[in-house]
Amino acid sequence: MRILISTDIEGVAGVVHPEQTRAGNAEYERARRWMTREANAAICGAFDGGATEVRVNDSHGTYRNLLADELDPRARLVNGKPRTLGMMGGLEADCAGVMLVGFHARAQARGVLAHTINSSAFARVWLNGQEFGEAGLYGALAGEMGVPVVFASGDDVFAEETRPLFPHCVFAVTKQAAGRHSAVSLSPQATCEAIRAGARQAMAVLGAAAPLRLELPVCARLQAQTPAHADLFCQWPALERVDGVTLEFSAASVEHAVRMLNCLSAMAAALN
């Protein structure tokens, strides 16, 4: 039984500030070690619960954050970009379930470091009229491939907004959001214990978990951060401008919608 663990950093316990998420400073080096330990906790929980193989997807920023030499040697690391499935890279290998570790709330939410894909590009994203953050977007991508999300960890705002999407998912709340850059966190040790226990519990309910499936084709709608971003994104002929910052496009699948969003995210660097 193969499990995919997708790891982000903003939802990691103790992480509250952008400096902790960006390479090139001591704060980031500590945070990526915490991220790696939380990934290891999920790996252990998955194996405790009966997994026969675990793939760990490094899903933050450049996708080069997890410390490979400190990762549980039983797991296989999926890192580096670009890759077609982004934060679900590794799902091509016939996985039974997905676990989301260190995830965060969607853009405009009150969660710690909340954003959707790219905080400088997108203010809000909807698929078929429903607003999604990264967990929802990639959970729907996994669901399209028949794979359910069975475990997730992050702050309380993330858990609250994400729980309705995945009714059978086990959540480990690692910190209480007190603001965009502040939280009350569990200790790294307590967090890892909670994640391991939650991941093990999730393996027990795997058979009852249903994939998140959206009706096709997908109608994608996004709100850009600025009219300048909308100007740039509309260079894609497939996008239709609704107003100064709102755009729409149709996609044959959730995968195609997510891939388009990731392309637009990469384009946004042209305005930096």
Side-chain angles (χ1 to χ4, degrees):
M1 184 187 302
R2 184 180 294 113
I3 298 296
L4 176 68
I5 299 173
S6 181
T7 58
D8 208 345
I9 201 169
E10 286 88 355
V12 168
V15 173
V16 294
H17 193 275
E19 284 189 3
Q20 294 175 286
T21 72
R22 297 170 182 161
N25 62 82
E27 292 240 30
Y28 165 76
E29 293 302 324
R30 281 191 291 270
R32 72 191 298 209
R33 182 161 281 106
W34 298 338
M35 179 186 181
T36 305
R37 290 173 182 170
E38 291 192 13
N40 281 338
I43 294 166
C44 288
F47 279 118
D48 290 346
T52 56
E53 181 182 327
V54 174
R55 295 190 173 198
V56 181
N57 181 328
D58 189 327
S59 299
H60 174 68
T62 60
Y63 296 172
R64 293 184 289 113
N65 308 275
L66 291 171
L67 298 168
D69 55 350
E70 295 187 15
L71 199 67
D72 188 313
R74 296 174 294 176
R76 297 187 179 187
L77 175 62
V78 181
N79 64 347
K81 69 188 318 183
R83 53 178 183 249
T84 302
L85 298 184
M87 297 176 82
M88 285 293 122
L91 203 61
E92 306 93 334
D94 190 25
C95 296
V98 169
M99 299 184 180
L100 310 176
V101 175
F103 270 59
H104 52 80
R106 64 178 178 243
Q108 307 300 311
R110 59 181 181 84
V112 176
L113 298 171
H115 67 279
T116 301
I117 301 179
N118 182 336
S119 58
S120 68
F122 308 127
R124 303 177 74 183
V125 175
W126 299 263
L127 297 184
N128 291 350
Q130 183 171 5
E131 187 171 7
F132 287 117
E134 290 169 23
L137 291 169
Y138 280 99
L141 172 55
E144 186 169 77
M145 300 176 72
V147 185
V149 174
V150 296
F151 172 79
S153 70
D155 69 23
D156 58 321
V157 178
F158 161 73
E160 181 181 351
E161 76 175 33
T162 307
R163 190 173 279 113
L165 300 176
F166 312 118
H168 294 95
C169 184
V170 177
F171 285 83
V173 176
T174 62
K175 56 191 175 187
Q176 303 289 323
R180 181 168 178 80
H181 294 158
S182 60
V184 179
S185 291
L186 297 177
S187 68
Q189 180 180 350
T191 295
C192 289
E193 290 172 357
I195 289 174
R196 181 170 184 172
R200 181 173 60 248
Q201 180 185 349
M203 294 296 295
V205 302
L206 183 58
L212 173 61
R213 296 186 183 274
L214 302 186
E215 185 177 344
L216 303 179
V218 175
C219 176
R221 185 181 180 98
L222 66 95
Q223 186 180 93
Q225 285 288 2
T226 70
H229 285 88
D231 293 342
L232 177 65
F233 298 158
C234 280
Q235 299 308 302
W236 276 95
L239 272 66
E240 179 180 349
R241 195 159 189 167
V242 177
D243 59 33
V245 294
T246 307
L247 311 170
E248 289 185 347
F249 64 91
S250 179
S253 64
V254 176
E255 178 189 331
H256 288 182
V258 170
R259 288 168 66 178
M260 174 65 88
L261 290 168
N262 285 334
C263 288
L264 297 177
S265 174
M267 286 175 63
L271 296 181
N272 291 343

